[in-house]
């Protein structure tokens, strides 16, 4: 495994917000102290997410799980997206 720390499998709905104000519902798949992996449900929503873009994520079911910070889109593979906490 090339990651310095393990990811914890998680599942739940998150709200992704872009700087342009668009809100997209995504499904969280995993989380670590450095980032989050999630799936986008629709192709039209995926087209509004670009590598390097800054976004924010919120969780209605567990607000303390997701840090209140900006994330940077690191990877897009199909409908799967990986983001890292912006440093």
């Amino acid at each position: 495994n090339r990651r310095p720390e393990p990811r914890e499998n998680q599942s739940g709905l998150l709200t992704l917000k872009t700087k342009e104000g668009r809100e997209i519902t995504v499904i969280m798949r995993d989380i670590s102290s450095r980032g989050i992996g999630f799936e986008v449900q629709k192709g039209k929503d995926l087209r509004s997410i670009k590598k390097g873009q800054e976004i924010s994520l919120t969780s209605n079911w567990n607000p303390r799980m997701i840090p209140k910070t900006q994330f940077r889109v690191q990877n897009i593979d199909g409908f799967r997206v990986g983001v890292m906490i912006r440093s």
Side-chain angles (χ1 to χ4, degrees), residues 28 31-36 55-59 62-71 84-86:
M28 180 170 59
I31 188 167
S32 73
S33 65
R34 300 175 71 186
I36 297 173
I55 62 163
S56 64
L57 293 167
T58 55
S59 168
N62 188 351
R64 290 181 286 164
M65 178 178 275
I66 308 298
K68 293 191 182 296
T69 185
Q70 291 290 309
F71 294 87
M84 292 186 70
I85 295 174
R86 193 182 93 194

Side-chain angles (χ1 to χ4, degrees), residues 10-86:
Q10 289 285 338
S11 185
L13 294 179
L14 302 176
T15 301
L16 178 151
K17 294 180 185 176
T18 65
K19 282 191 170 183
E20 294 79 27
R22 180 153 186 190
E23 291 189 7
I24 302 168
T25 299
V26 299
I27 302 170
M28 180 170 59
R29 295 297 182 203
D30 56 64
I31 188 167
S32 73
S33 65
R34 300 175 71 186
I36 297 173
F38 58 84
E39 259 180 46
V40 179
Q41 299 172 351
K42 301 175 188 166
K44 68 175 186 158
D45 290 338
L46 184 63
R47 287 191 291 274
S48 65
I49 302 171
K50 306 288 184 230
K51 193 172 176 182
Q53 182 179 15
E54 291 186 10
I55 62 163
S56 64
L57 293 167
T58 55
S59 168
N60 294 335
W61 51 277
N62 188 351
R64 290 181 286 164
M65 178 178 275
I66 308 298
K68 293 191 182 296
T69 185
Q70 291 290 309
F71 294 87
R72 184 177 310 263
V73 176
Q74 189 73 19
N75 188 31
I76 301 174
D77 184 15
F79 285 87
R80 197 88 193 235
V81 179
V83 297
M84 292 186 70
I85 295 174
R86 193 182 93 194

